[in-house]
Amino acid sequence: VSPQESLSEGDFQRLFATEAEGRLDALVDDLLELEKHGANPEVVASLFREAHTLKGGAAVVGMAHVARVAHAMEDLLEEVRRERRGVDTALIDAVLAGVDAIRTLIPLAVAGQEHEQVAFEAEQRLRIAVGGPPVVDDKPAAGRASKRAAPSAPAAPSPVARPVSGGEPATPAAASVPPLDEASSPEPEPGAGTDGTVSPSDAPVALSPVPPPAPSGGARRPAPPAGDHGAAENAPTEAHATTDGAAGRGEPARATATEMLQIPVHRIDDLVRLIGEASAATLRLGSALLERLERDPSSVTEYRDLVRSLNQLQELALHARMIPVMSLAPRLRRAVRDLARETGKEVRFETRGEDAEIDRGVLERLADPLLHLVRNAVDHGVESPDERRLHGKPAEGTIRLHAMQLGSEVVIAVSDDGRGIDVGRVREAAGRTDRSAVEMDDEAALYLIFRSGLTTASKVTGVSGRGVGLDAVRASLNAVRGRIEVRSDPGIGTEFRIAVPITMATLRCLVIKAAGQAYAIPLHSVRAVLPHQPSATVGGRAMTMLDGRPVQISSLASVLGTGNGTAGPSVVLAGLTRSHAFTVDDLVDQRDVVVKGLGELVPRLPAVAGAGVQPDGSILLVLEAAGLIERARRMDNGDRSLEAAGGGEHDEAPQQHAASILVVDDALTVRELQRSIFENAGYRVRVAVNGEEALVAISEERPDLVLTDVQMPRMDGFELTEAIRKQPTLASMPVIILTSRGSDEDRRRGLECGADGYIVKSGFDQSALLSAVERLLGAER
Amino acid sequence: VANATTPGVRAGQLALLIPVGSDTYAIPLETVREVVVDPRVTQLPTSPAVVRGVFNVRGDIVVLLDTGLLLGLRPCTGEPYAVLVETAHGTAGLVATDMPQTVRLNESVGHSDIEGTTETYLVADARLAVALDVPTLLSPARISQ
């Protein structure tokens, strides 16, 4: 159940939620370390950094309450870092209470809710622990759990928003906000330490060398071996995460063991099938009402009630078939371990996203592709320990399996920190049979790895080098309407991202018209529906604004080649890595489509996912967002090359947006958000997680501009800027420091070390960031 | 009965004549599932021109192919009839621009040079009909060309 209308923000919020989980684990680890061994500057610095990064990430994704608590936590830890305050029980309890509060607030925020009381109490407790005065203003009415009005939902105020929001009441999760007492019942009291103390000034429990016991269902975890911290991997990583994962994330009440019922899968399958048939019969009933009785079915209350109940029933039944994606993890871990041993490599396997669930049938089809990807990562990606040491990497490589629910899709990433894919060799290998491969740019050439028969391995091993594999992975994914994308940075690693629908039964679609013809667009790819949008041409591409961010816009009919542009509404579609707006004639409605393939005789059309037969016998084509976006971009590029050939007067315009930007930030959410902002604006984006990595990336390929965070492990943003300025060849490369610390001292330091711009994230406004970047890039040219 | 080594029709066999513009083509009657009059075609954007679209035959989605373009000739004008042909790759529709008819073929009057066809036959009312090599014409590879 996800509010489709706020997907754009929701995506990043979920990404942040997943990231925050790891950071909160790390915070707890560090706190328990302090509790055991007393103040240690390194641990304090790490604590401070985690709190700081949480604050920045939360602010960026619009979780103001989380940001507030993290901010108070940061301020308190800053006092400790500057040795103005010692470490004692009160401090540790206050920070732990902050952690608990954030764990409560994040899932609420993702569900579009707030909890003023929890944020307030945690913040107050943290402020008191500093020794400063308690926060007295904005005390809310106690016990209020308010539902936020989803301010950023782009379509909310427009009359065309209904189709996307389902024409139905708010989703059950959002609609039934329980009162505070119930909402927090599975959690410890907000702001309470596990010792049960609520009053911040009252810290009677003696400092204990043992982590305090967590109450059942409590949010605090006893010293989990957080994967991020490189804890010894003797214990399976997912063990800690799944045992207490649900409770730890502050999810609403989960059934206890006695409330569980084991049901044979086929019974659920039968149920799902029957509900599907009932839904189809209902649609036929609707068309019979229209044809025989000339009654518009949507005007018949009983019909609407029936449809709504069936939809809910279907959703519940589908949910019953869901299992966690990570149920595959033990198999994959075993494969990694075995293959690593066989190849003499040291590999750590980490998992994240234990709460992502997927239809059992879909997951079964993913087992082999995922197995293939992790084996590939061990065999092709991770280098031998000697080679890694030679390149200054830890001898042990890391393979991560990360699952995340985005709308009605699950995205599963398999990444490694190995040598990356050698695009040159891929191009060369493909060029032997296909001359056009030689001309491809790196991004296009990288995707040649999915072609059948292609191998770059110089020798055939037990697992790879036979040229079968990734094409089979792609084919298996096509069978479940999934898709795969790859990113690779030489020397840094490779990430494969798979996106699959959570379920295969029916596809909820938005039906639109373009050039007079109706098409269905899977709702999970629809980010927003906007009334007619003004657009401006930037660098040869038509752009419009969504949530203050530029998005490329095209006419759907032109992209499909069936007509020209219209002045109708726009539908913003999300691919895996970028969004694109399409203008259509009209929005028709929203319906469930049983999608069928077009048969073997029809060539594969990337923009068409399939078709459904409608109750009136007509055929409704289902479009594929990723294919459409790709096609639109290719057409835009074609247009631009035509312009360049014809004109030639605007010598800066076409090139300007191919500029490359290196985003340096240790927070995944911020990195991905910035990547999305700049990619949508037409830039090429690379990322690095700290200053050291950034320097490596710069030496490999000089970016046109560097955008860096300040607080990062290993080498911070100031040090990075200084290092860049020391190299004569990089002296003119613009560097922007983006930070959530707005102090004058920091700003002065940033400018002193040679940054061209200093932007504070709290006042973070994407168009300001984009215009700063454009200005600096323009100045450099 | 036609088999894989003898594509198209032979003398003495029942064939369905498919009028396309001023030309007439013949296919073995046993490969024909049915003829749909005035199919309700949904265009398939981004597909090659030879694919005129898809239509619904009792719940199945069937592709409609332009018989003229399939032979490398002029495209059909309109699609008043769709001849449903069974192939190894599933059912496909071929456009006929006039009512198809069933005939028993006489002896071949000569070889046809058009790629994807076999022999030429003289049929009733002094028309020439060119026999189609269905497996060659209705293959995924040829359609994607």
Side-chain angles (χ1 to χ4, degrees), chain B residues 3-72:
Chain B
N3 60 44
T5 55
T6 56
V9 286
R10 285 170 303 166
Q13 263 195 324
L14 280 174
L16 187 75
L17 297 183
I18 304 177
V20 176
S22 54
D23 299 324
T24 304
Y25 301 98
I27 58 169
L29 192 62
E30 70 264 21
T31 63
V32 177
R33 191 167 120 191
E34 64 183 288
V35 175
V36 177
V37 181
D38 200 13
R40 187 169 161 191
V41 180
T42 300
Q43 268 190 46
L44 202 52
T46 74
S47 65
V50 69
V51 176
R52 291 187 72 108
V54 285
F55 62 111
N56 168 16
V57 181
R58 287 184 289 278
D60 286 340
I61 295 172
V62 177
V63 60
L64 183 65
L65 300 169
D66 188 308
T67 318
L69 286 177
L70 206 52
L71 289 163

Coordinates of all heavy atoms in Angstrom, one line a residue, chain B residues 3-72:
Chain B
N3 N 4.4 -30.3 -46.4 CA 5.3 -30.5 -45.3 C 6.5 -29.5 -45.3 O 6.5 -28.6 -46.2 CB 5.8 -31.9 -45.2 CG 6.6 -32.3 -46.5 OD1 7.4 -31.5 -46.9 ND2 6.3 -33.4 -47.0
A4 N 7.4 -29.6 -44.4 CA 8.4 -28.6 -44.3 C 9.3 -28.4 -45.5 O 9.8 -27.4 -45.8 CB 9.3 -28.9 -43.1
T5 N 9.5 -29.5 -46.3 CA 10.3 -29.4 -47.4 C 9.6 -28.9 -48.6 O 10.3 -28.5 -49.6 CB 10.9 -30.8 -47.8 OG1 9.8 -31.7 -48.0 CG2 11.8 -31.3 -46.7
T6 N 8.3 -28.9 -48.6 CA 7.6 -28.3 -49.8 C 6.7 -27.2 -49.3 O 5.5 -27.4 -49.1 CB 6.8 -29.4 -50.5 OG1 5.9 -29.9 -49.5 CG2 7.6 -30.5 -51.1
P7 N 7.3 -26.0 -49.0 CA 6.5 -24.9 -48.6 C 5.5 -24.5 -49.7 O 5.7 -24.8 -50.9 CB 7.5 -23.8 -48.3 CG 8.7 -24.1 -49.2 CD 8.7 -25.6 -49.3
G8 N 4.5 -23.8 -49.3 CA 3.5 -23.3 -50.3 C 2.6 -24.5 -50.7 O 2.5 -25.5 -50.1
V9 N 1.9 -24.2 -51.8 CA 0.8 -25.1 -52.2 C 1.3 -25.9 -53.5 O 2.3 -25.5 -54.1 CB -0.5 -24.4 -52.5 CG1 -1.2 -24.0 -51.3 CG2 -0.2 -23.2 -53.4
R10 N 0.6 -27.0 -53.8 CA 1.0 -27.7 -55.0 C -0.3 -27.9 -55.8 O -1.4 -27.8 -55.3 CB 1.6 -29.0 -54.7 CG 3.1 -28.9 -54.2 CD 3.6 -30.2 -53.7 NE 2.7 -30.6 -52.6 CZ 2.8 -31.9 -52.1 NH1 3.6 -32.8 -52.6 NH2 2.0 -32.2 -51.1
A11 N -0.1 -28.3 -57.1 CA -1.2 -28.5 -58.0 C -2.2 -29.6 -57.4 O -1.7 -30.5 -56.7 CB -0.7 -29.0 -59.3
G12 N -3.4 -29.4 -57.5 CA -4.4 -30.3 -57.0 C -4.8 -30.1 -55.6 O -5.8 -30.7 -55.1
Q13 N -4.1 -29.2 -54.9 CA -4.4 -28.9 -53.5 C -5.5 -27.8 -53.4 O -5.6 -26.9 -54.3 CB -3.2 -28.4 -52.8 CG -2.5 -29.5 -52.1 CD -1.5 -28.8 -51.1 OE1 -0.9 -27.8 -51.4 NE2 -1.3 -29.4 -50.0
L14 N -6.2 -27.8 -52.3 CA -7.1 -26.7 -52.0 C -6.2 -25.5 -51.4 O -5.3 -25.7 -50.6 CB -8.1 -27.1 -50.9 CG -9.3 -27.9 -51.5 CD1 -10.2 -28.3 -50.3 CD2 -10.1 -27.1 -52.5
A15 N -6.5 -24.4 -52.0 CA -5.7 -23.2 -51.5 C -6.7 -22.1 -51.3 O -7.8 -22.0 -51.8 CB -4.7 -22.8 -52.6
L16 N -6.2 -21.1 -50.4 CA -7.0 -19.9 -50.2 C -6.3 -18.8 -51.0 O -5.1 -18.6 -50.9 CB -7.0 -19.5 -48.7 CG -8.0 -18.4 -48.4 CD1 -9.5 -18.8 -48.5 CD2 -7.7 -17.7 -47.1
L17 N -7.1 -18.1 -51.8 CA -6.6 -17.0 -52.7 C -6.7 -15.7 -51.9 O -7.8 -15.4 -51.4 CB -7.4 -16.9 -54.0 CG -7.3 -18.1 -54.9 CD1 -8.0 -17.9 -56.2 CD2 -5.8 -18.5 -55.2
I18 N -5.6 -15.0 -51.7 CA -5.6 -13.8 -51.0 C -5.4 -12.6 -51.9 O -4.3 -12.4 -52.4 CB -4.5 -13.8 -49.9 CG1 -4.7 -15.0 -49.0 CG2 -4.5 -12.5 -49.1 CD1 -3.6 -15.2 -48.0
P19 N -6.4 -11.8 -52.2 CA -6.3 -10.7 -53.1 C -5.6 -9.6 -52.4 O -5.9 -9.2 -51.2 CB -7.7 -10.3 -53.5 CG -8.6 -11.4 -53.0 CD -7.9 -12.0 -51.8
V20 N -4.5 -9.0 -53.0 CA -3.8 -7.9 -52.4 C -3.6 -6.9 -53.5 O -2.8 -7.1 -54.4 CB -2.4 -8.3 -51.8 CG1 -1.7 -7.0 -51.3 CG2 -2.6 -9.3 -50.7
G21 N -4.4 -5.8 -53.5 CA -4.3 -4.9 -54.6 C -4.7 -5.6 -55.9 O -5.7 -6.3 -55.9
S22 N -3.9 -5.4 -56.9 CA -4.2 -6.1 -58.2 C -3.6 -7.5 -58.3 O -3.8 -8.2 -59.3 CB -3.7 -5.2 -59.3 OG -2.4 -5.0 -59.1
D23 N -2.9 -7.9 -57.2 CA -2.3 -9.2 -57.2 C -3.1 -10.2 -56.4 O -3.9 -9.9 -55.6 CB -0.9 -9.2 -56.6 CG 0.0 -8.2 -57.4 OD1 -0.1 -8.2 -58.7 OD2 0.8 -7.5 -56.8
T24 N -2.8 -11.5 -56.7 CA -3.5 -12.6 -55.9 C -2.4 -13.6 -55.4 O -1.5 -14.0 -56.2 CB -4.5 -13.3 -56.8 OG1 -5.4 -12.4 -57.3 CG2 -5.3 -14.4 -56.0
Y25 N -2.5 -13.9 -54.2 CA -1.5 -14.9 -53.6 C -2.3 -16.1 -53.1 O -3.5 -16.0 -52.9 CB -0.8 -14.3 -52.4 CG 0.0 -13.1 -52.9 CD1 -0.5 -11.8 -52.7 CD2 1.2 -13.2 -53.6 CE1 0.2 -10.7 -53.2 CE2 1.9 -12.1 -54.1 CZ 1.4 -10.9 -53.9 OH 2.1 -9.8 -54.4
A26 N -1.6 -17.2 -53.0 CA -2.3 -18.5 -52.6 C -1.5 -19.1 -51.5 O -0.3 -19.1 -51.4 CB -2.3 -19.5 -53.8
I27 N -2.3 -19.6 -50.5 CA -1.6 -20.4 -49.4 C -2.4 -21.6 -49.2 O -3.6 -21.7 -49.5 CB -1.5 -19.5 -48.1 CG1 -2.9 -19.1 -47.6 CG2 -0.6 -18.3 -48.2 CD1 -2.9 -18.5 -46.2
P28 N -1.8 -22.7 -48.7 CA -2.5 -24.0 -48.5 C -3.6 -23.7 -47.5 O -3.5 -23.1 -46.5 CB -1.4 -24.9 -47.8 CG -0.1 -24.2 -48.1 CD -0.4 -22.8 -48.2
L29 N -4.8 -24.3 -47.9 CA -6.0 -24.0 -47.1 C -5.8 -24.6 -45.6 O -6.3 -24.0 -44.7 CB -7.2 -24.7 -47.7 CG -8.5 -24.3 -47.1 CD1 -8.8 -22.8 -47.3 CD2 -9.7 -25.1 -47.8
E30 N -5.0 -25.7 -45.5 CA -4.9 -26.3 -44.2 C -4.1 -25.4 -43.2 O -4.2 -25.6 -42.0 CB -4.4 -27.7 -44.2 CG -2.9 -27.8 -44.6 CD -2.7 -28.1 -46.1 OE1 -3.6 -27.8 -46.8 OE2 -1.6 -28.6 -46.4
T31 N -3.4 -24.4 -43.7 CA -2.7 -23.5 -42.8 C -3.6 -22.4 -42.3 O -3.2 -21.6 -41.4 CB -1.4 -22.9 -43.4 OG1 -1.8 -22.1 -44.5 CG2 -0.5 -23.9 -43.9
V32 N -4.8 -22.3 -42.9 CA -5.6 -21.1 -42.6 C -6.6 -21.5 -41.5 O -7.3 -22.5 -41.5 CB -6.5 -20.7 -43.8 CG1 -7.4 -19.6 -43.5 CG2 -5.5 -20.3 -44.9
R33 N -6.6 -20.7 -40.4 CA -7.5 -20.9 -39.3 C -8.9 -20.4 -39.6 O -9.9 -21.0 -39.5 CB -6.9 -20.3 -38.0 CG -7.6 -20.8 -36.8 CD -6.8 -20.4 -35.5 NE -7.6 -19.4 -34.7 CZ -7.1 -18.8 -33.7 NH1 -5.8 -18.9 -33.4 NH2 -7.8 -18.0 -33.0
E34 N -8.9 -19.1 -40.0 CA -10.2 -18.5 -40.4 C -9.9 -17.2 -41.0 O -8.8 -16.7 -41.1 CB -11.1 -18.3 -39.1 CG -10.5 -17.3 -38.1 CD -11.3 -17.2 -36.9 OE1 -12.4 -16.6 -36.9 OE2 -10.9 -17.7 -35.8
V35 N -11.0 -16.6 -41.6 CA -10.8 -15.2 -42.2 C -11.7 -14.3 -41.3 O -12.9 -14.6 -41.1 CB -11.3 -15.2 -43.6 CG1 -11.3 -13.8 -44.2 CG2 -10.4 -16.1 -44.5
V36 N -11.1 -13.2 -40.9 CA -11.8 -12.2 -40.1 C -12.1 -11.1 -41.0 O -11.3 -10.5 -41.6 CB -11.0 -11.8 -38.9 CG1 -11.7 -10.7 -38.1 CG2 -10.6 -12.9 -38.0
V37 N -13.4 -10.7 -41.0 CA -13.9 -9.6 -41.8 C -13.7 -8.3 -40.9 O -14.2 -8.3 -39.8 CB -15.3 -9.8 -42.3 CG1 -15.8 -8.6 -43.1 CG2 -15.5 -11.1 -43.0
D38 N -13.1 -7.3 -41.6 CA -13.0 -6.0 -40.9 C -12.5 -6.1 -39.5 O -13.1 -5.7 -38.5 CB -14.4 -5.3 -40.9 CG -14.2 -3.8 -40.8 OD1 -13.1 -3.3 -40.9 OD2 -15.3 -3.1 -40.5
P39 N -11.3 -6.6 -39.3 CA -10.7 -6.7 -38.0 C -10.6 -5.3 -37.3 O -10.3 -4.3 -38.0 CB -9.3 -7.3 -38.2 CG -9.0 -7.0 -39.6 CD -10.3 -6.9 -40.4
R40 N -10.7 -5.3 -36.0 CA -10.6 -4.0 -35.3 C -9.1 -4.0 -34.8 O -8.7 -4.6 -33.8 CB -11.5 -4.1 -34.1 CG -11.6 -2.8 -33.3 CD -12.8 -3.0 -32.4 NE -12.7 -2.0 -31.3 CZ -13.5 -2.1 -30.2 NH1 -14.3 -3.1 -30.1 NH2 -13.4 -1.2 -29.3
V41 N -8.3 -3.2 -35.6 CA -6.9 -3.3 -35.4 C -6.4 -2.1 -34.5 O -6.8 -1.0 -34.6 CB -6.2 -3.2 -36.7 CG1 -4.6 -3.2 -36.5 CG2 -6.6 -4.3 -37.6
T42 N -5.6 -2.5 -33.5 CA -4.9 -1.5 -32.7 C -3.5 -1.3 -33.2 O -2.7 -2.3 -33.3 CB -4.9 -2.0 -31.2 OG1 -6.2 -2.2 -30.8 CG2 -4.2 -0.9 -30.3
Q43 N -3.2 -0.1 -33.6 CA -1.8 0.1 -34.1 C -0.8 -0.2 -33.0 O -1.0 0.1 -31.9 CB -1.7 1.6 -34.5 CG -2.0 1.9 -35.9 CD -1.6 3.3 -36.2 OE1 -0.5 3.8 -35.9 NE2 -2.5 4.0 -36.9
L44 N 0.4 -0.6 -33.5 CA 1.5 -1.0 -32.6 C 2.6 0.0 -32.8 O 3.4 -0.2 -33.7 CB 1.9 -2.4 -32.9 CG 2.6 -3.2 -31.8 CD1 1.9 -3.1 -30.5 CD2 2.8 -4.6 -32.2
P45 N 2.6 1.1 -32.1 CA 3.7 2.1 -32.4 C 5.1 1.5 -32.2 O 5.2 0.6 -31.4 CB 3.4 3.2 -31.3 CG 2.1 2.9 -30.7 CD 1.8 1.5 -30.9
T46 N 6.0 2.1 -32.9 CA 7.4 1.8 -32.9 C 7.7 0.4 -33.5 O 8.9 0.0 -33.5 CB 8.1 1.8 -31.5 OG1 7.6 0.6 -30.7 CG2 7.7 3.0 -30.7
S47 N 6.7 -0.2 -34.1 CA 7.0 -1.5 -34.7 C 7.3 -1.3 -36.2 O 7.0 -0.2 -36.7 CB 5.7 -2.4 -34.6 OG 4.7 -1.9 -35.3
P48 N 7.9 -2.3 -36.8 CA 8.2 -2.1 -38.3 C 7.0 -1.9 -39.1 O 5.9 -2.4 -38.6 CB 9.0 -3.4 -38.6 CG 9.1 -4.2 -37.4 CD 8.4 -3.5 -36.3
A49 N 7.1 -1.3 -40.2 CA 5.9 -1.0 -41.0 C 5.1 -2.2 -41.4 O 3.9 -2.2 -41.5 CB 6.3 -0.2 -42.3
V50 N 5.8 -3.3 -41.5 CA 5.1 -4.6 -41.9 C 4.0 -5.0 -40.9 O 3.1 -5.7 -41.2 CB 6.1 -5.7 -42.2 CG1 6.8 -6.1 -40.9 CG2 5.5 -6.8 -43.0
V51 N 4.2 -4.6 -39.6 CA 3.3 -4.9 -38.6 C 2.2 -3.8 -38.6 O 2.4 -2.7 -38.2 CB 3.9 -4.9 -37.2 CG1 2.9 -5.2 -36.1 CG2 5.0 -6.0 -37.2
R52 N 1.0 -4.2 -39.0 CA -0.1 -3.2 -39.1 C -0.7 -2.9 -37.8 O -1.4 -2.0 -37.6 CB -1.1 -3.6 -40.2 CG -0.6 -3.5 -41.6 CD -1.6 -3.7 -42.6 NE -2.5 -2.6 -42.7 CZ -2.5 -1.8 -43.7 NH1 -1.7 -1.9 -44.7 NH2 -3.4 -0.8 -43.8
G53 N -0.6 -3.9 -36.9 CA -1.1 -3.7 -35.5 C -1.5 -5.1 -35.0 O -1.0 -6.1 -35.4
V54 N -2.3 -5.0 -33.9 CA -2.8 -6.3 -33.3 C -4.3 -6.2 -33.2 O -4.9 -5.2 -33.2 CB -2.1 -6.5 -31.9 CG1 -0.7 -6.9 -31.9 CG2 -2.3 -5.2 -31.0
F55 N -4.9 -7.4 -33.2 CA -6.4 -7.4 -33.0 C -6.7 -8.6 -32.1 O -5.9 -9.6 -31.9 CB -7.1 -7.4 -34.3 CG -6.8 -8.6 -35.3 CD1 -7.8 -9.5 -35.5 CD2 -5.6 -8.7 -35.9 CE1 -7.5 -10.6 -36.4 CE2 -5.3 -9.8 -36.7 CZ -6.3 -10.7 -37.0
N56 N -8.0 -8.6 -31.7 CA -8.4 -9.6 -30.7 C -9.2 -10.7 -31.4 O -10.2 -10.4 -32.1 CB -9.3 -8.9 -29.6 CG -10.0 -9.8 -28.7 OD1 -9.7 -11.0 -28.6 ND2 -11.0 -9.2 -28.1
V57 N -8.8 -11.9 -31.3 CA -9.5 -13.0 -31.8 C -9.9 -13.9 -30.6 O -9.1 -14.7 -30.1 CB -8.7 -13.9 -32.8 CG1 -9.5 -15.0 -33.4 CG2 -8.2 -13.0 -33.9
R58 N -11.1 -13.7 -30.2 CA -11.7 -14.5 -29.0 C -10.7 -14.5 -27.8 O -10.4 -15.6 -27.3 CB -12.0 -15.9 -29.4 CG -13.3 -15.9 -30.3 CD -13.7 -17.3 -30.6 NE -12.8 -17.9 -31.6 CZ -12.9 -17.7 -32.9 NH1 -13.8 -17.0 -33.4 NH2 -12.0 -18.3 -33.7
G59 N -10.2 -13.3 -27.5 CA -9.3 -13.2 -26.3 C -7.9 -13.4 -26.6 O -7.0 -13.1 -25.7
D60 N -7.5 -13.9 -27.8 CA -6.1 -14.0 -28.1 C -5.7 -12.7 -28.9 O -6.5 -12.2 -29.7 CB -5.8 -15.2 -29.1 CG -5.9 -16.5 -28.3 OD1 -5.8 -16.4 -27.1 OD2 -6.1 -17.5 -28.9
I61 N -4.5 -12.3 -28.6 CA -3.9 -11.1 -29.3 C -3.2 -11.6 -30.5 O -2.2 -12.4 -30.4 CB -3.1 -10.3 -28.3 CG1 -3.9 -9.7 -27.2 CG2 -2.4 -9.1 -29.1 CD1 -3.2 -9.0 -26.1
V62 N -3.6 -11.2 -31.7 CA -3.0 -11.7 -32.9 C -2.4 -10.5 -33.7 O -3.0 -9.4 -33.8 CB -4.0 -12.4 -33.8 CG1 -3.4 -12.8 -35.1 CG2 -4.6 -13.6 -33.0
V63 N -1.2 -10.7 -34.3 CA -0.6 -9.6 -35.0 C -1.1 -9.6 -36.5 O -1.3 -10.7 -37.0 CB 1.0 -9.7 -35.0 CG1 1.4 -11.1 -35.5 CG2 1.7 -8.6 -35.7
L64 N -1.3 -8.4 -37.0 CA -1.8 -8.3 -38.4 C -0.6 -7.8 -39.3 O 0.0 -6.7 -39.0 CB -3.0 -7.4 -38.5 CG -3.5 -7.2 -39.9 CD1 -4.1 -8.6 -40.4 CD2 -4.6 -6.1 -40.0
L65 N -0.3 -8.6 -40.3 CA 0.9 -8.2 -41.1 C 0.5 -7.7 -42.5 O -0.5 -8.2 -43.0 CB 1.8 -9.4 -41.3 CG 2.3 -10.0 -39.9 CD1 3.0 -11.3 -40.1 CD2 3.3 -9.0 -39.3
D66 N 1.2 -6.8 -43.0 CA 0.9 -6.2 -44.3 C 1.5 -7.2 -45.4 O 2.7 -7.3 -45.5 CB 1.6 -4.8 -44.4 CG 1.1 -4.1 -45.7 OD1 1.3 -4.7 -46.8 OD2 0.7 -3.0 -45.6
T67 N 0.6 -7.8 -46.1 CA 1.1 -8.9 -47.0 C 2.0 -8.3 -48.1 O 3.0 -8.9 -48.5 CB -0.2 -9.5 -47.7 OG1 -1.1 -9.7 -46.6 CG2 0.2 -10.9 -48.3
G68 N 1.6 -7.1 -48.6 CA 2.4 -6.5 -49.6 C 3.8 -6.2 -49.1 O 4.8 -6.5 -49.8
L69 N 3.9 -5.5 -48.0 CA 5.3 -5.2 -47.4 C 6.1 -6.4 -47.1 O 7.3 -6.4 -47.2 CB 5.1 -4.3 -46.2 CG 4.7 -2.8 -46.5 CD1 4.5 -2.1 -45.2 CD2 5.7 -2.1 -47.3
L70 N 5.4 -7.4 -46.6 CA 6.1 -8.7 -46.3 C 6.8 -9.3 -47.5 O 7.9 -9.9 -47.4 CB 5.0 -9.7 -45.8 CG 5.4 -10.8 -44.8 CD1 6.2 -10.2 -43.6 CD2 4.1 -11.5 -44.4
L71 N 6.2 -9.0 -48.7 CA 6.9 -9.5 -49.9 C 7.8 -8.5 -50.5 O 8.3 -8.7 -51.6 CB 5.8 -9.8 -50.9 CG 4.9 -11.1 -50.6 CD1 3.7 -11.1 -51.4 CD2 5.8 -12.3 -50.8
G72 N 8.0 -7.4 -49.8 CA 8.9 -6.3 -50.3 C 8.2 -5.5 -51.4 O 8.9 -4.9 -52.3

